[in-house]
Amino acid sequence: MGDVMASRWRGQRGRCEVWYTTITDPATGTGIWLHHELISPSTPGTSAYGHGFVAVFPPDAAPTMVRFGPCPWRPQGDTIFATDTVAMTRDSFTGAVGPITWDLTATCGSTRPMFTFPHWAWCHGLLPAAHLVATPGARHTGTVHIGEHVIELRDAPGATSRIYGHGNARRWCWLHADLGNGNILEIVAAVAMRPGLRRLPPLPMVKLRLDGADWPAHDPLLASFRFRADIGLPRWTVTGASGGRRLQVTVHQPPERTLAVAYTDPDGRTCTCHNTEVADADILLERRGPDGWQPERRWRLQGTAHAEVGLR
């Protein structure tokens, strides 16, 4: 499988690579989003560059976000991503951008990655883009400063995820839900930009890690045809069934706690993602029995779900 945190880019034009980390502070309910991105433009004669942003989502106030870059792409040694004031390794995150500074470490134990998209898609690049959760169930410790305000993180749950491909989708939704006790739900539903594929409905890639086992157990792309996503704001849903289980997910992104962030693809086209790290999510898992569908587990997350909707 190799090192899923290492850069996949090998100098090709028209590529986008992302490392993003989302965290919930259990003491205050604050959400944190660190986004590190490599863009290799499609236009000949242009150089690859790194850029990104950091955002903080208080539970009772408007979020704050600042951008960094663009900057030359020059990672070295154990440093996966670096600018003059931002650096990321496999288990540390540091930076100082505008009023926000951060110094965090992550511990992941023996938790294995979650392949939201098929393993073959990540390894061979046969889809327009691929996604995985490199460190599901990670715990983060350190400090985040916003001006004079200091957030002290101690074993704060979160994850670092990865995207590699040709750019952003036509529209998409994303959910990372830490359900406690090592249980995690990850959803990415998207409509691709490629002709032909853009006419399809959103294909929900669903991966639920429950008691150490991943469901659906087979190829996420094949399973996606049995799920449906209704993408909208401030509410969106994903429903579907596989292997004798049925899942119903409803996500609410509070407008006053959601950031609209402009993205630029390698070919210069733009889109806008609407992200919040303090979303609500109602998740119902059912199992089919002799008397029909019966509830197996239910989780109600209030302000601790990480969610996003992307639109053009």
Side-chain angles (χ1 to χ4, degrees):
M1 179 171 59
D3 181 1
V4 296
M5 287 290 282
S7 176
R8 292 286 315 279
W9 185 60
R10 297 296 180 267
Q12 309 96 319
R13 295 200 177 279
R15 297 295 189 274
C16 171
E17 184 165 22
V18 179
W19 298 256
Y20 69 90
T21 303
T22 56
I23 306 168
T24 296
D25 176 23
T28 65
T30 301
I32 297 165
W33 179 26
L34 303 174
H35 183 100
H36 308 80
E37 182 169 330
L38 162 67
I39 292 290
S40 175
S42 303
T43 306
T46 55
S47 299
Y49 63 89
H51 76 113
F53 31 85
V54 54
V56 178
F57 298 78
D60 54 0
T64 300
M65 187 193 85
V66 289
R67 291 181 177 269
F68 53 87
C71 61
W73 178 248
R74 298 193 190 107
Q76 299 181 40
D78 292 335
T79 303
I80 297 171
F81 185 99
T83 70
D84 291 342
T85 61
V86 174
M88 181 188 71
T89 70
R90 287 161 180 78
D91 56 8
S92 68
F93 312 88
T94 58
V97 184
I100 305 179
T101 63
W102 62 99
D103 187 352
L104 304 172
T105 58
T107 56
C108 308
S110 59
T111 304
R112 66 191 186 280
M114 292 174 65
F115 283 86
T116 326
F117 279 53
H119 183 276
W120 53 261
W122 179 260
C123 293
H124 303 295
L126 299 179
L127 295 178
H131 174 278
L132 63 81
V133 189
T135 62
R139 293 296 181 264
H140 302 81
T141 296
T143 58
V144 178
H145 294 250
I146 313 167
E148 299 298 321
H149 180 62
V150 181
I151 303 169
E152 296 275 357
L153 299 179
R154 292 290 180 268
D155 294 323
T160 294
S161 296
R162 301 276 281 106
I163 303 169
Y164 184 72
H166 296 263
N168 294 284
R170 186 175 181 86
R171 58 190 178 103
W172 72 88
C173 61
W174 160 77
L175 172 70
H176 174 79
D178 191 311
L179 308 176
N181 300 315
N183 300 320
I184 297 168
L185 174 63
E186 194 82 14
I187 296 175
V188 178
V191 177
M193 288 292 292
R194 290 182 180 176
L197 294 178
R198 70 179 64 176
R199 297 180 179 274
L200 297 174
L203 291 178
M205 306 287 189
V206 175
K207 191 63 67 175
L208 172 63
R209 182 159 292 173
L210 186 63
D211 301 331
D214 287 353
W215 174 88
H218 55 288
D219 187 300
L221 180 58
L222 295 178
S224 71
F225 292 98
R226 302 198 63 186
F227 287 82
R228 176 179 176 179
D230 185 1
I231 300 177
L233 285 170
R235 177 182 178 274
W236 56 270
T237 62
V238 170
T239 57
S242 177
R245 280 174 162 154
R246 184 168 69 179
L247 183 69
Q248 301 179 50
V249 179
T250 300
V251 177
H252 180 256
Q253 299 188 203
E256 70 279 7
R257 298 177 190 172
T258 296
L259 287 170
V261 184
Y263 284 18
T264 301
D265 290 328
D267 63 6
R269 288 183 288 189
T270 61
C271 59
T272 302
C273 86
H274 304 265
N275 179 289
T276 181
E277 306 304 315
V278 288
D280 304 325
D282 190 342
I283 301 164
L284 174 62
L285 181 67
E286 298 175 294
R287 184 179 287 276
R288 186 167 51 200
D291 299 323
W293 293 105
Q294 299 295 325
E296 181 180 358
R297 303 273 186 100
R298 186 162 200 161
W299 300 270
R300 289 188 172 95
L301 279 60
Q302 299 293 321
T304 61
H306 306 165
E308 180 176 289
V309 167
L311 301 170
R312 292 184 188 263

Short mmCIF file of all heavy atoms in Angstrom, two decimals, residues 7 17 51 61 70 104 115 137 147 182 193 211 263-264 277-278:
data_model
loop_
_atom_site.label_atom_id
_atom_site.label_comp_id
_atom_site.label_asym_id
_atom_site.label_seq_id
_atom_site.Cartn_x
_atom_site.Cartn_y
_atom_site.Cartn_z
N SER A 7 3.56 12.43 -0.98
CA SER A 7 3.02 13.04 -2.19
C SER A 7 2.95 12.04 -3.33
O SER A 7 3.88 11.26 -3.55
CB SER A 7 3.88 14.24 -2.60
OG SER A 7 3.43 14.79 -3.82
N GLU A 17 -3.35 18.06 -5.51
CA GLU A 17 -3.12 17.14 -4.41
C GLU A 17 -3.40 17.87 -3.09
O GLU A 17 -2.94 19.00 -2.90
CB GLU A 17 -1.71 16.59 -4.45
CG GLU A 17 -1.45 15.55 -3.38
CD GLU A 17 -0.17 14.75 -3.62
OE1 GLU A 17 0.72 15.25 -4.34
OE2 GLU A 17 -0.08 13.63 -3.09
N HIS A 51 -0.30 26.02 -1.58
CA HIS A 51 -1.08 27.06 -0.90
C HIS A 51 -2.05 26.36 0.05
O HIS A 51 -2.08 25.12 0.14
CB HIS A 51 -1.83 27.94 -1.90
CG HIS A 51 -3.03 27.28 -2.50
ND1 HIS A 51 -4.33 27.70 -2.27
CD2 HIS A 51 -3.14 26.19 -3.30
CE1 HIS A 51 -5.17 26.90 -2.91
NE2 HIS A 51 -4.48 25.99 -3.55
N ALA A 61 -19.67 31.50 17.82
CA ALA A 61 -19.29 32.72 17.10
C ALA A 61 -18.98 32.37 15.65
O ALA A 61 -18.88 31.19 15.28
CB ALA A 61 -18.06 33.38 17.76
N PRO A 70 0.11 31.62 -2.65
CA PRO A 70 0.90 30.53 -3.23
C PRO A 70 2.40 30.71 -3.03
O PRO A 70 2.89 31.82 -2.88
CB PRO A 70 0.53 30.60 -4.72
CG PRO A 70 0.15 32.03 -4.95
CD PRO A 70 -0.50 32.50 -3.67
N LEU A 104 0.86 21.60 16.51
CA LEU A 104 0.10 20.42 16.88
C LEU A 104 0.87 19.15 16.53
O LEU A 104 1.62 19.11 15.56
CB LEU A 104 -1.25 20.39 16.15
CG LEU A 104 -2.17 21.60 16.32
CD1 LEU A 104 -3.35 21.49 15.38
CD2 LEU A 104 -2.64 21.71 17.76
N PHE A 115 -10.09 3.64 2.87
CA PHE A 115 -10.15 3.94 1.45
C PHE A 115 -11.60 4.25 1.08
O PHE A 115 -12.37 3.36 0.74
CB PHE A 115 -9.58 2.79 0.63
CG PHE A 115 -8.08 2.74 0.65
CD1 PHE A 115 -7.41 2.09 1.67
CD2 PHE A 115 -7.34 3.37 -0.34
CE1 PHE A 115 -6.03 2.05 1.70
CE2 PHE A 115 -5.95 3.35 -0.32
CZ PHE A 115 -5.30 2.69 0.70
N GLY A 137 -9.38 8.43 13.21
CA GLY A 137 -9.27 8.23 14.65
C GLY A 137 -8.02 8.83 15.26
O GLY A 137 -7.63 8.46 16.38
N GLY A 147 -5.14 35.41 17.66
CA GLY A 147 -4.86 36.65 18.38
C GLY A 147 -4.41 36.33 19.80
O GLY A 147 -3.47 35.55 20.02
N GLY A 182 -13.78 4.36 18.42
CA GLY A 182 -13.11 3.90 17.22
C GLY A 182 -14.00 3.77 16.00
O GLY A 182 -13.53 3.36 14.93
N MET A 193 -16.36 16.26 -13.42
CA MET A 193 -16.37 17.30 -14.45
C MET A 193 -16.28 16.72 -15.86
O MET A 193 -16.62 17.39 -16.83
CB MET A 193 -15.20 18.25 -14.21
CG MET A 193 -15.37 19.17 -13.02
SD MET A 193 -16.69 20.38 -13.27
CE MET A 193 -15.97 21.40 -14.56
N ASP A 211 -16.77 -1.18 14.87
CA ASP A 211 -16.16 -2.25 15.67
C ASP A 211 -14.98 -2.90 14.94
O ASP A 211 -14.80 -4.12 14.97
CB ASP A 211 -17.21 -3.31 16.02
CG ASP A 211 -18.38 -2.73 16.82
OD1 ASP A 211 -18.16 -1.75 17.55
OD2 ASP A 211 -19.51 -3.24 16.69
N TYR A 263 -12.06 27.84 -4.65
CA TYR A 263 -11.00 26.95 -5.09
C TYR A 263 -10.70 27.24 -6.57
O TYR A 263 -11.59 27.59 -7.34
CB TYR A 263 -11.42 25.48 -5.00
CG TYR A 263 -11.44 24.87 -3.62
CD1 TYR A 263 -11.44 25.64 -2.47
CD2 TYR A 263 -11.44 23.49 -3.47
CE1 TYR A 263 -11.46 25.06 -1.22
CE2 TYR A 263 -11.46 22.89 -2.23
CZ TYR A 263 -11.47 23.69 -1.10
OH TYR A 263 -11.49 23.11 0.14
N THR A 264 -9.44 27.01 -6.98
CA THR A 264 -9.05 27.12 -8.38
C THR A 264 -8.46 25.79 -8.83
O THR A 264 -7.53 25.27 -8.20
CB THR A 264 -8.01 28.24 -8.60
OG1 THR A 264 -8.57 29.48 -8.17
CG2 THR A 264 -7.63 28.33 -10.06
N GLU A 277 -16.80 22.83 10.38
CA GLU A 277 -16.30 21.77 11.26
C GLU A 277 -17.15 21.65 12.52
O GLU A 277 -16.76 20.99 13.49
CB GLU A 277 -14.84 22.04 11.62
CG GLU A 277 -13.93 22.24 10.44
CD GLU A 277 -13.97 21.08 9.45
OE1 GLU A 277 -13.92 19.92 9.90
OE2 GLU A 277 -14.07 21.34 8.23
N VAL A 278 -18.33 22.29 12.51
CA VAL A 278 -19.26 22.22 13.65
C VAL A 278 -20.67 21.88 13.15
O VAL A 278 -21.66 22.47 13.57
CB VAL A 278 -19.25 23.51 14.49
CG1 VAL A 278 -17.96 23.63 15.29
CG2 VAL A 278 -19.43 24.75 13.61
#
